[in-house]
Amino acid sequence: MKTTNRKALTKKLLVLWSTVVRESASHKCEWCGKPATQAHHMIAKAQGNTLKFSTENGVALCCACHMKFHNRDSSDGWVLFKEQRPYSYEFVQERKHQLTKLSIDDLRGIEADLLSQLEALND
């Protein structure tokens, strides 16, 4: 059954996005190597809606590293992101100011893409 409510679909996509980000990192924190329990948006969801569901904008983190990023100077996290994933860093920097209203059809396309990524990770 397809979700037609924008809010419900957005919530579903964020959960799916988080799963793909953590699976991509084999459930290990990309910054310290501990188990990753969270997925972090490098460009905040509110700042770049075209990046909200992009896995290039996601980093798998343990709770401690995620809290460090949000509670202290985030520059260390950006340095690690740029060093470890230069393509992703450039990708998000180029798109961080792109704001587009996503239609329900756009969101369904994003859902199909995330499901495809997840399936490829699990093969």
Side-chain angles (χ1 to χ4, degrees):
M1 174 189 281
K2 288 187 178 180
T3 305
T4 55
N5 177 297
R6 176 182 297 281
K7 189 173 182 178
L9 182 54
T10 297
K11 184 176 179 177
K12 179 181 177 182
L13 291 178
L14 288 171
V15 170
L16 184 56
W17 173 87
S18 177
T19 302
V20 173
V21 168
R22 287 178 287 113
E23 282 279 328
S24 295
S26 301
H27 295 277
K28 289 191 174 52
C29 179
E30 293 183 55
W31 295 346
C32 75
K34 292 180 182 173
T37 57
Q38 301 175 4
H40 170 71
H41 285 88
M42 290 302 294
I43 300 294
K45 293 176 286 194
Q47 285 182 295
N49 74 344
T50 60
L51 292 171
K52 184 186 302 188
F53 306 113
S54 170
T55 55
E56 295 298 335
N57 186 38
V59 181
L61 298 176
C62 67
C63 186
C65 286
H66 200 186
M67 288 185 70
K68 274 189 234 177
F69 186 90
H70 285 290
N71 293 334
R72 295 187 189 156
D73 179 10
S74 62
S75 61
D76 289 347
W78 278 103
V79 168
L80 286 170
F81 185 59
K82 186 176 182 179
E83 288 174 358
Q84 295 171 345
R85 295 184 30 209
Y87 171 80
S88 296
Y89 176 83
E90 291 299 324
F91 183 91
V92 300
Q93 290 301 317
E94 290 171 5
R95 292 162 179 81
K96 68 183 177 182
H97 298 297
Q98 292 178 353
L99 298 175
T100 304
K101 182 153 176 73
L102 300 172
S103 70
I104 290 288
D105 287 339
D106 293 332
L107 295 174
R108 286 192 184 120
I110 292 166
E111 179 182 27
D113 182 53
L114 288 170
L115 287 169
S116 176
Q117 289 180 53
L118 188 58
E119 186 177 314
L121 288 167
N122 289 319
D123 282 344

